[in-house]
Amino acid sequence: MPLNQSHRFCIAPMIDWTDRYCRFFHRLLTRKARLYTEMVVDEAIIRGDRDRLLDPGSVAGPVALQLGGSDAGRLAEAARIGEGYGYQEVNFNVGCPSDRVQSGAFGACLMRDPSLVARGVEAMRRAVSVPVTVKCRIGVDDQDPAAVLPAFADAMAGAGCETLIVHARKAWLQGLSPKENRSVPPLDYELVAQLARERRDLHVVLNGGIGSLDEAEAHLGRFAGVMLGRAAYERPYLLTSVDERLFGENVPAPSRAMVVRTVADRAERTGTPVWRYARHMLGLYAGEPGARTWRRRLSEETRAGGSPVLLDALDEVEAAQAAA
């Protein structure tokens, strides 16, 4: 099977982070990266405020909806609704270790029941025309990843899933907090690479601990794609190099100032409180002169003011850079 370029570089779905405002900001930095929603529970889509939950926020380019759930019928209905909002992929969350997810009997705990996950994948595939993908861990708790991951991958491929995104750590559902689960369990890239070699019918995308584009590019020799999470969120300007470096696109990178002005203009035109965008932009000047000023101004003032606060912060940062 030829390399699937669509998942060559992805930005991970992150609860409370990758909302529509974050995705708008990230799309200004890269046209090619595949973006993901926060995990949305199937029942919330079926019974809740769909426009609030699913509005893609006028974000162009590849964007995927991540769903949480365990009932095949509800997952299928939620996927069908999500496709109607224009998402080009439905991703099934089988990796989140949060207490909220465990109490709902979905997320990482589903690694224990691959047949249940497979039924969900099959139901969603029948309901939508876009690809259905799965994001998982290498195992949970005392499972042996060397046995669990290949068997899980076999079940997903048998259900018609062609792309498996693997966070290369276990999830410890007992004993570690969700935050600790993002960094404490050791990474096992080699196990995931072995899966990619042995399952040529699957596009295996690597997630977990990738901290830079140098690391991402190095991994692309062994995987169909890479997925960055915290690195992309905390140092977002690195995304401006993705299109040229990983996709061969000869396009000029937008300046930080251009990005700030575009966000300020959109907030003003749409009447959106500017803090909804600004809270995702704290790391825009990471490592640059004026970074501390930028973070302070956005953290302290954007909730109280509108887009002029964002532009005032930009002016102060540019002054600091000119004086450096």
Side-chain angles (χ1 to χ4, degrees):
M1 181 179 291
L3 183 65
N4 184 351
Q5 293 287 319
S6 66
H7 289 79
R8 186 168 173 81
F9 185 87
C10 312
I11 301 176
M14 293 174 278
I15 292 176
D16 296 328
W17 286 9
T18 52
D19 60 21
R20 75 187 70 172
Y21 310 104
C22 176
R23 296 194 302 274
F24 178 84
F25 167 52
H26 282 170
R27 184 56 80 217
L28 295 177
L29 304 172
T30 167
R31 295 187 303 118
K32 288 290 191 176
R34 179 164 288 255
L35 308 182
Y36 285 74
T37 70
E38 307 170 87
M39 184 191 69
V40 187
V41 178
D42 53 11
E43 193 72 13
I45 292 173
I46 294 167
R47 301 185 183 280
D49 184 345
R50 297 172 184 177
D51 289 344
R52 179 182 64 82
L53 292 169
L54 295 177
D55 179 3
S58 302
V59 178
V63 184
L65 168 66
Q66 188 183 67
L67 288 180
S70 57
D71 179 85
R74 288 198 295 268
L75 284 165
E77 184 175 356
R80 179 184 55 77
I81 294 168
E83 183 182 28
Y85 279 80
Y87 291 99
Q88 295 106 322
E89 172 192 340
V90 175
N91 178 258
F92 191 2
N93 183 317
V94 192
C96 181
S98 77
D99 295 338
R100 182 172 60 180
V101 166
Q102 290 184 58
S103 66
F106 51 92
C109 62
L110 292 179
M111 292 290 298
R112 298 193 186 108
D113 194 347
S115 62
L116 179 63
V117 178
R119 289 196 294 274
V121 170
E122 290 171 345
M124 287 188 283
R125 289 187 64 244
R126 289 194 297 269
V128 300
S129 59
V130 298
V132 174
T133 65
V134 174
K135 186 173 189 291
C136 67
R137 294 283 184 127
I138 61 174
V140 297
D141 295 337
D142 58 357
Q143 287 182 329
D144 176 10
V148 167
L149 183 61
F152 184 84
D154 287 346
M156 297 308 99
C161 172
E162 296 182 349
T163 299
L164 186 66
I165 303 166
V166 184
H167 186 153
R169 307 180 197 270
K170 270 189 175 184
W172 286 93
L173 304 180
Q174 303 295 327
L176 291 181
S177 69
K179 181 178 180 180
E180 290 169 330
N181 262 297
R182 293 195 292 267
S183 59
V184 172
L187 290 159
D188 193 344
Y189 292 152
E190 291 307 315
L191 178 63
V192 186
Q194 181 179 343
L195 176 70
R197 288 193 303 270
E198 295 178 351
R199 290 307 309 250
R200 308 301 292 182
D201 56 335
L202 272 176
H203 300 116
V204 178
V205 177
L206 181 69
N207 174 229
I210 304 172
S212 68
L213 290 190
D214 286 344
E215 293 177 39
E217 194 166 21
H219 285 304
L220 286 172
R222 299 196 293 174
F223 300 97
V226 292
M227 175 178 277
L228 266 68
R230 284 170 291 160
Y233 189 89
E234 294 169 357
R235 301 191 307 280
Y237 199 66
L238 67 80
L239 298 175
T240 59
S241 299
V242 165
D243 294 358
E244 179 177 8
R245 190 166 169 182
L246 301 184
F247 291 92
E249 294 279 307
N250 186 18
V251 292
S255 68
R256 290 177 174 87
M258 181 186 304
V259 170
V260 173
R261 293 189 179 103
T262 301
V263 170
D265 177 69
R266 179 170 178 81
E268 187 74 23
R269 286 189 295 103
T270 60
T272 304
V274 72
W275 65 264
R276 293 191 179 276
Y277 295 101
R279 73 186 190 94
H280 304 298
M281 300 170 65
L282 297 176
L284 182 60
Y285 284 89
E288 296 292 309
R292 182 175 298 179
T293 296
W294 173 258
R295 290 183 66 91
R296 177 182 57 79
R297 292 290 302 269
L298 265 62
S299 297
E300 296 176 358
E301 299 178 26
T302 52
R303 282 188 178 270
S307 54
V309 173
L310 203 59
L311 298 175
D312 289 346
L314 173 62
D315 289 343
E316 189 169 346
V317 169
E318 290 186 329
Q321 291 182 334

